[in-house]
Amino acid sequence: LRTALITAVLFVTGCLVPFGGALAMIFAPLPVMDYAIGHEDWRLRSIASVALAAGGVTLAVGWPAGVAYLVSFGLASVIICHMLEDRRPFELIVLVVSATMLIAGTFAAFAAVGSPVALADALRHALSAGMTRGEHFYRLLGMDNPLTAEAKASVLNLTIRLSPALVGLSAACAVLLNLGVFWRRLDRGRLGYRLFADLARWSAPEWLIWLLLATGFALFVPVAAISTIALDGFVCVATIY
């Protein structure tokens, strides 16, 4: 109950607090990891605490937020616990968990809005509203809008095209931060192996260069869908390097 309560508070803080809340939300998996890892009944501990945390989030801010927690940090918490108990390397954990969060979140968003087109329209509306709030903030400070209408449209379109990569990279960073904090502060010998062993010598696998080249050349394919997928893939691979 304590683990579920702390987890729910971290996630709800991210939903309600504009700036610092996002940082709190990032560490929502950490209480579950601390409670479950190193115990024989880790599977029951992780699943039960995630289910209770989802119920707490639902009671606090509604069922959409509860579902959002389940398909993002809730699912991530259980998978991280499973892969740490199996003593998987950190890079594999980051890849699997972030990809799972991206796929599950995408399907949940499709189910909520009905179609990819509706999802893109909803994302465009949310980004446009955010940019409008930014313009109002500039006016309150006595500053002119730094973006012209043409530049605003260009930034909006580019952000929408990059949204899968941005979401995936954000999920990967969140997983990496949770693993790092757990390993440095909460492990206490429970993992049984060095999660970040020889980190200074880590390098990307050699075959990844071919993926970088393929996505780079695919940017010039005159098909919008292919070039968009290539752009997101190129950003993700470049970030690894």
Coordinates of all heavy atoms in Angstrom, one line a residue, residues 4-18 20-22 24-26 28 53-62 65-66 69 73:
A4 N 2.3 1.6 -3.5 CA 1.3 2.1 -4.4 C 1.0 3.6 -4.2 O 0.8 4.3 -5.2 CB 0.1 1.2 -4.3
L5 N 0.9 4.0 -3.0 CA 0.6 5.4 -2.7 C 1.7 6.3 -3.2 O 1.4 7.3 -3.8 CB 0.4 5.6 -1.2 CG 0.1 7.0 -0.7 CD1 -1.2 7.5 -1.3 CD2 0.0 7.0 0.8
I6 N 2.9 6.0 -2.9 CA 4.0 6.8 -3.4 C 4.1 6.9 -4.9 O 4.2 8.0 -5.5 CB 5.4 6.3 -2.8 CG1 5.4 6.4 -1.3 CG2 6.5 7.1 -3.4 CD1 6.6 5.7 -0.7
T7 N 3.9 5.8 -5.5 CA 3.9 5.7 -7.0 C 2.7 6.6 -7.6 O 2.9 7.4 -8.5 CB 3.7 4.3 -7.5 OG1 4.8 3.5 -6.9 CG2 3.7 4.2 -9.0
A8 N 1.5 6.4 -7.0 CA 0.4 7.2 -7.5 C 0.6 8.7 -7.3 O 0.3 9.5 -8.1 CB -0.9 6.8 -6.7
V9 N 1.2 9.1 -6.1 CA 1.5 10.5 -5.9 C 2.5 11.1 -6.9 O 2.3 12.2 -7.4 CB 2.0 10.7 -4.4 CG1 2.6 12.1 -4.2 CG2 0.9 10.5 -3.4
L10 N 3.5 10.3 -7.2 CA 4.5 10.7 -8.2 C 3.9 11.0 -9.6 O 4.1 12.0 -10.2 CB 5.6 9.7 -8.3 CG 6.6 9.6 -7.1 CD1 7.5 8.4 -7.3 CD2 7.4 10.9 -7.0
F11 N 3.0 10.0 -10.0 CA 2.4 10.1 -11.3 C 1.3 11.3 -11.3 O 1.3 12.1 -12.3 CB 1.7 8.8 -11.7 CG 1.2 8.8 -13.1 CD1 2.0 8.5 -14.1 CD2 -0.1 9.1 -13.4 CE1 1.6 8.4 -15.4 CE2 -0.6 9.1 -14.7 CZ 0.3 8.7 -15.7
V12 N 0.5 11.4 -10.3 CA -0.5 12.4 -10.2 C 0.2 13.8 -10.2 O -0.3 14.8 -10.7 CB -1.4 12.2 -9.0 CG1 -2.3 13.4 -8.8 CG2 -2.3 11.0 -9.2
T13 N 1.3 13.9 -9.5 CA 2.1 15.2 -9.4 C 2.5 15.6 -10.8 O 2.4 16.8 -11.2 CB 3.3 15.0 -8.6 OG1 2.9 14.7 -7.2 CG2 4.1 16.3 -8.5
G14 N 2.9 14.6 -11.6 CA 3.2 14.9 -13.0 C 2.0 15.4 -13.8 O 2.2 16.2 -14.8
C15 N 0.8 14.9 -13.5 CA -0.4 15.3 -14.2 C -0.8 16.7 -13.8 O -1.4 17.4 -14.7 CB -1.5 14.3 -13.9 SG -1.2 12.6 -14.5
L16 N -0.6 17.1 -12.6 CA -1.2 18.3 -12.1 C -0.2 19.5 -12.0 O -0.6 20.6 -12.1 CB -1.8 18.1 -10.7 CG -2.9 17.0 -10.6 CD1 -3.4 16.9 -9.2 CD2 -4.1 17.4 -11.6
V17 N 1.1 19.2 -11.7 CA 2.0 20.3 -11.5 C 2.7 20.6 -12.9 O 3.3 19.6 -13.5 CB 3.1 19.9 -10.5 CG1 4.1 21.0 -10.3 CG2 2.4 19.6 -9.2
P18 N 2.7 21.8 -13.4 CA 3.1 22.1 -14.7 C 4.6 21.8 -15.0 O 5.0 21.2 -16.0 CB 2.8 23.6 -14.9 CG 1.8 23.9 -13.9 CD 2.1 23.0 -12.8
G20 N 7.8 21.1 -12.4 CA 8.5 20.1 -11.6 C 7.8 18.8 -11.6 O 8.4 17.8 -11.2
G21 N 6.5 18.8 -11.9 CA 5.8 17.5 -11.8 C 6.3 16.5 -12.8 O 6.2 15.3 -12.5
A22 N 6.7 16.9 -13.9 CA 7.2 16.0 -14.9 C 8.4 15.2 -14.4 O 8.6 14.0 -14.6 CB 7.6 16.7 -16.2
A24 N 9.0 14.5 -11.2 CA 8.5 13.5 -10.3 C 7.9 12.3 -11.0 O 8.1 11.2 -10.6 CB 7.4 14.2 -9.4
M25 N 7.1 12.5 -12.0 CA 6.5 11.4 -12.8 C 7.5 10.5 -13.3 O 7.3 9.2 -13.4 CB 5.6 12.0 -13.9 CG 4.9 10.9 -14.7 SD 4.0 11.6 -16.1 CE 2.6 12.3 -15.3
I26 N 8.7 11.0 -13.8 CA 9.7 10.1 -14.4 C 10.1 9.0 -13.4 O 10.4 7.9 -13.9 CB 11.0 11.0 -14.7 CG1 10.7 11.8 -16.0 CG2 12.2 10.1 -15.0 CD1 11.8 12.8 -16.3
A28 N 8.3 7.4 -11.2 CA 7.2 6.6 -10.8 C 7.5 5.1 -10.7 O 7.0 4.4 -9.8 CB 5.9 6.8 -11.7
A53 N -1.6 1.2 -7.5 CA -1.2 2.5 -7.9 C -2.1 3.0 -9.0 O -2.6 4.2 -9.0 CB 0.2 2.6 -8.4
A54 N -2.5 2.2 -10.0 CA -3.4 2.6 -11.0 C -4.8 2.9 -10.5 O -5.4 3.9 -10.9 CB -3.5 1.4 -12.1
G55 N -5.2 2.1 -9.5 CA -6.5 2.5 -8.8 C -6.4 3.8 -8.1 O -7.4 4.6 -8.1
G56 N -5.3 4.1 -7.5 CA -5.1 5.4 -6.8 C -5.1 6.5 -7.7 O -5.7 7.6 -7.5
V57 N -4.4 6.4 -8.9 CA -4.4 7.4 -9.9 C -5.8 7.7 -10.4 O -6.2 8.8 -10.6 CB -3.4 7.1 -11.0 CG1 -3.6 8.0 -12.2 CG2 -2.0 7.0 -10.5
T58 N -6.5 6.6 -10.7 CA -7.9 6.7 -11.2 C -8.8 7.4 -10.2 O -9.6 8.3 -10.6 CB -8.5 5.3 -11.4 OG1 -7.7 4.6 -12.4 CG2 -9.9 5.4 -12.0
L59 N -8.7 7.1 -8.9 CA -9.5 7.8 -7.9 C -9.1 9.3 -7.8 O -10.0 10.2 -7.6 CB -9.3 7.2 -6.5 CG -9.9 5.8 -6.4 CD1 -9.6 5.2 -5.0 CD2 -11.5 5.8 -6.6
A60 N -7.9 9.6 -8.0 CA -7.4 11.0 -7.9 C -7.7 11.9 -9.1 O -8.2 13.0 -8.9 CB -5.9 11.0 -7.6
V61 N -7.5 11.4 -10.3 CA -7.6 12.3 -11.4 C -8.4 11.6 -12.6 O -8.5 12.2 -13.7 CB -6.3 12.7 -12.0 CG1 -5.6 13.7 -11.0 CG2 -5.3 11.5 -12.2
G62 N -9.0 10.5 -12.4 CA -9.9 9.9 -13.4 C -9.3 8.7 -14.1 O -8.1 8.5 -14.1
A65 N -6.3 8.9 -16.8 CA -5.0 9.0 -16.2 C -4.6 7.6 -15.7 O -3.4 7.2 -15.7 CB -5.0 10.0 -15.1
G66 N -5.5 6.8 -15.1 CA -5.2 5.5 -14.6 C -4.8 4.6 -15.8 O -3.8 3.8 -15.6
Y69 N -1.3 5.6 -16.9 CA -0.3 5.1 -16.0 C 0.0 3.6 -16.3 O 1.2 3.2 -16.4 CB -0.7 5.2 -14.5 CG 0.2 4.4 -13.6 CD1 1.5 4.8 -13.3 CD2 -0.3 3.2 -13.1 CE1 2.3 4.0 -12.5 CE2 0.6 2.4 -12.3 CZ 1.9 2.9 -12.0 OH 2.7 2.1 -11.2
F73 N 4.2 3.9 -17.3 CA 5.1 3.6 -16.2 C 4.7 2.3 -15.4 O 5.6 1.7 -14.9 CB 5.1 4.8 -15.2 CG 5.8 6.0 -15.8 CD1 5.0 7.1 -16.2 CD2 7.1 6.0 -16.1 CE1 5.6 8.2 -16.8 CE2 7.8 7.1 -16.6 CZ 7.0 8.2 -17.0

